[in-house]
């Protein structure tokens, strides 16, 4: 198993190029299951989760090549409808094949994803919505068996809770359903918006893009002539590099970034004293003279993202005063706290809220990554800590950050990937 060895404290400088968004690419790859043509996706991030999903699509019968971030995907040859446990257990986002497979073939069998490190993460809202569209769903031997022999029917669906992959799954199902589907209380994340835009550009009548109510006219089972497209930049990767600069008191520039997707993140960095200059596709962050404490609550887009909570928690350990960080989306997303405490951070957890007493110096230690974003927070803290830190179990990082250590090394970090 690989681990990262980091020498701190370090100062960064230079420019980092942001990769395509993993969480946009995942649903967009499954979207191609609705197409009858070969589709080219550019700016595809080359990270483990994308490779896992491509393997799943190959198992279903698709053909693909991914080279230099250009993904060519042909799903016209798909002839299986089972997403098996071996793959789904390694990546929950595999559930994104459920809507498209059911809509195209009238049946599918997808392993239940189960829980994960950050919480229970049920898929009840995906299943309930498909049932409202006429699907018959049974759970047997750990699999969701879904059938809709006469195709899915348009429906009026109100999501009880805002769900990102739930919205994506049902939008894809609705695109091939019979008649009109109205979805209320949808996710408005940029990744969902891009999915809807590509459907619109491919000829689907879809209204309300970017709002919480979407209206979709289905094709009645006909597959789509899909356009080629470029995946949006990863706002969470970008936010992580902004935090890397802030925690190391550095000025760096991010290239290939959408600053409008990062408003909630930059607002908090500015409250903490950092200065951010933007152009069309770049952001330059200048460090705070003295980092100030922060109060934040994770919520759905456009509010502050849960996927940036761990990185801000690491940053708060070095800020003046007491920061309050509340996690509202996932019940178990504070696993990084005990690892940060191993570096010397003073953090008190009370249910869903972390109180961070900032300003205590951090010292290098052996620490363990627990989930994707928690892992990046540990790397950030290690760059600010005095001495050597070894971050173990970095396979979590490889799932969603493209060449994190290579990019940080180019910025001047002393970081090495070693074998246990
Ligand atoms: C997406 O997960 C992201 N994953 C997550 O990023 C992200 O943290 C999350 O959205 C929130 O922004 C991908 O896009 C692949 P949800 P998703 O359904 O869609 C509850 C990362 O690090 N819920 O919006 O699975 C759920 O338990 C990952 O890149 C139900 O109760 O999240 C949670 O409390 C981690 N029933 C809330 O809704 C359901 O059927 C929001 O979850 C579905 C969700």
């Amino acid at each position: 198993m690989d681990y990262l060895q980091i020498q701190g404290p370090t100062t960064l400088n230079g420019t980092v190029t942001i990769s395509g968004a993993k969480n946009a690419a995942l649903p967009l790859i499954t979207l191609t299951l609705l197409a009858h043509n070969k589709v080219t996706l550019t700016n595809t991030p080359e990270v483990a989760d994308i490779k896992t999903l491509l393997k799943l699509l190959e198992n279903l019968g698709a053909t693909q090549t991914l080279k230099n971030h250009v993904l060519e995907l042909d799903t016209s040859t798909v002839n299986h409808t089972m997403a098996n446990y071996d793959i789904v257990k390694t990546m929950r986002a595999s559930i994104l094949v459920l809507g498209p497979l059911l809509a195209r073939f009238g049946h599918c069998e997808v392993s239940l994803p189960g829980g994960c490190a950050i919480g229970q993460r049920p898929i009840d809202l995906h299943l309930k919505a498909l049932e409202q569209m006429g699907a018959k769903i049974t759970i047997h031997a750990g699999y969701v068996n879904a059938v809709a022999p006469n195709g899915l029917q348009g429906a009026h669906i109100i999501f009880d809770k805002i769900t990102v992959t739930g919205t994506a799954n049902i939008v894809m199902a609705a695109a091939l359903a019979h008649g009109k589907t109205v979805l209320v209380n949808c996710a408005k994340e940029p990744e969902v918006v891009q999915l809807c835009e590509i459907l619109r550009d491919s000829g689907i009548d879809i209204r309300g893009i970017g709002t919480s109510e979407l209206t979709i006219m289905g094709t009645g089972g006909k597959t789509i002539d899909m356009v080629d497209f470029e995946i949006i930049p990863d706002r969470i990767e970008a936010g992580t590099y902004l935090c890397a600069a802030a925690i190391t008191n550095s000025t760096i520039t991010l290239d290939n970034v959408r600053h409008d997707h990062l408003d909630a993140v930059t607002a908090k960095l500015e409250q903490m004293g950092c200065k951010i200059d933007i152009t069309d596709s770049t952001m330059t962050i200048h460090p705070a003279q003295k980092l100030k404490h922060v109060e934040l609550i994770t919520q759905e887009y456009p509010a502050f993202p849960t996927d940036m909570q761990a990185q801000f928690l690491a940053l708060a350990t070095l800020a003046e005063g007491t920061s309050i960080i509340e996690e509202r989306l996932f019940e178990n997303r504070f696993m990084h706290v005990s690892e940060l405490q191993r570096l010397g951070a003073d953090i008190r957890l009370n249910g869903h809220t972390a109180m961070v007493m900032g300003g205590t110096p951090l010292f290098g230690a052996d620490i363990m990554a627990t989930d994707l974003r928690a892992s990046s927070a540990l790397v950030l803290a290690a760059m600010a800590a005095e001495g050597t830190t070894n971050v173990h179990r970095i396979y979590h990082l490889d799932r969603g950050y493209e060449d994190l250590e290579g990019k940080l090394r180019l910025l001047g970090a002393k970081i090495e990937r070693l074998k246990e």
Side-chain angles (χ1 to χ4, degrees):
M1 232 191 283
D2 293 354
Y3 68 100
L4 288 178
Q5 188 164 78
I6 298 157
Q7 309 289 340
T10 194
T11 309
L12 307 177
N13 64 73
T15 299
V16 58
T17 301
I18 300 305
S19 299
K22 166 190 78 95
N23 287 349
L26 292 167
L28 292 172
I29 287 170
T30 64
L31 178 68
T32 67
L33 285 165
L34 304 182
H36 49 243
N37 57 314
K38 183 162 143 189
V39 185
T40 303
L41 291 69
T42 48
N43 203 30
T44 307
E46 296 188 17
V47 295
D49 272 8
I50 297 301
K51 292 175 187 159
T52 303
L53 185 60
L54 291 176
K55 194 165 151 218
L56 170 53
L57 259 69
E58 273 186 340
N59 288 353
L60 297 174
T63 56
Q64 59 90 16
T65 57
L66 173 57
K67 216 170 153 196
N68 298 330
H69 304 107
V70 177
L71 172 61
E72 294 195 340
L73 198 44
D74 186 353
T75 66
S76 63
T77 47
V78 167
N79 52 3
H80 295 290
T81 54
M82 177 183 262
N84 66 38
Y85 177 66
D86 289 345
I87 289 198
V88 179
K89 74 169 187 239
T90 65
M91 191 184 64
R92 294 183 47 83
S94 313
I95 197 66
L96 283 161
V97 299
L98 178 65
L101 282 178
L102 180 60
R104 176 164 153 194
F105 296 100
H107 64 92
C108 66
E109 307 76 35
V110 179
S111 174
L112 270 174
C116 81
I118 62 175
Q120 265 197 339
R121 304 184 74 187
I123 55 156
D124 56 314
L125 303 175
H126 304 229
L127 303 185
K128 199 172 139 201
L130 290 172
E131 280 174 338
Q132 278 183 266
M133 297 176 79
K136 296 268 172 292
I137 294 182
T138 50
I139 309 284
H140 180 67
Y143 279 76
V144 176
N145 296 314
V147 289
N150 302 318
L152 292 168
Q153 310 299 320
H156 189 99
I157 294 162
I158 304 173
F159 288 108
D160 289 341
K161 233 186 197 180
I162 299 175
T163 160
V164 177
T165 49
T167 303
N169 232 340
I170 305 309
V171 164
M172 293 188 278
L176 252 57
H178 296 267
K180 180 165 94 174
T181 298
V182 179
L183 302 177
V184 180
N185 202 25
C186 295
K188 293 179 285 194
E189 269 66 2
E191 295 77 19
V192 174
V193 170
Q194 185 173 32
L195 179 87
C196 296
E197 286 172 347
I198 288 160
L199 277 171
R200 179 200 60 202
D201 295 348
S202 304
I204 298 292
D205 180 358
I206 173 165
R207 313 264 165 107
I209 296 177
T211 74
S212 59
E213 183 167 322
L214 293 166
T215 303
I216 303 150
M217 288 303 302
T219 62
K222 281 203 255 8
T223 49
I224 299 170
D225 195 19
M226 199 165 289
V227 293
D228 296 332
F229 55 86
E230 178 175 336
I231 293 165
I232 53 171
D234 195 315
R235 64 194 167 99
I236 305 301
E237 187 196 21
T240 304
Y241 283 101
L242 291 175
C243 287
I247 205 168
T248 57
N249 271 311
S250 310
T251 295
I252 66 166
T253 298
L254 278 51
D255 197 10
N256 184 36
V257 67
R258 285 278 302 261
H259 62 80
D260 54 323
H261 292 166
L262 280 153
D263 286 347
V265 170
T266 48
K268 289 295 165 192
L269 285 168
E270 281 167 352
Q271 279 171 29
M272 293 180 88
C274 301
K275 193 173 160 293
I276 295 166
D277 299 326
I278 53 175
T279 69
D280 273 357
S281 63
T282 72
M283 294 174 86
T284 299
I285 176 164
H286 306 280
Q289 289 198 324
K290 215 151 188 46
L291 211 50
K292 291 185 223 136
H293 64 273
V294 70
E295 280 179 24
L296 62 86
I297 298 174
T298 66
Q299 273 168 303
E300 296 86 1
Y301 189 87
F304 188 88
T306 172
D307 289 347
M308 285 302 304
Q309 177 258 103
Q311 300 89 318
F312 268 75
L313 206 148
L315 191 53
T317 65
L318 294 184
E320 263 188 344
T322 302
S323 296
I324 310 281
I325 295 181
E326 189 181 333
E327 172 58 53
R328 290 242 180 117
L329 287 181
F330 294 110
E331 65 272 23
N332 196 21
R333 211 173 194 182
F334 277 129
M335 303 271 278
H336 39 287
V337 166
S338 48
E339 300 304 303
L340 290 169
Q341 284 166 337
R342 289 177 57 77
L343 299 179
D346 187 357
I347 308 166
R348 299 191 199 152
L349 260 187
N350 184 4
H352 291 206
T353 304
M355 203 181 1
V356 188
M357 270 59 69
T360 334
L362 303 180
F363 293 97
D366 279 279
I367 49 179
M368 205 165 72
T370 49
D371 73 75
L372 173 59
R373 308 303 171 187
S375 316
S376 69
L378 299 184
V379 172
L380 301 190
M383 288 194 297
E386 184 80 43
T388 305
T389 300
N390 296 314
V391 184
H392 301 275
R393 299 210 183 161
I394 53 160
Y395 53 85
H396 291 292
L397 269 180
D398 295 334
R399 293 184 57 170
Y401 285 95
E402 188 171 323
D403 193 18
L404 180 75
E405 79 267 19
K407 290 187 184 187
L408 284 174
R409 207 178 302 120
L410 268 182
L411 292 171
K414 295 181 204 80
I415 179 166
E416 245 189 302
R417 180 180 285 252
L418 299 169
K419 295 253 175 250
E420 299 279 4

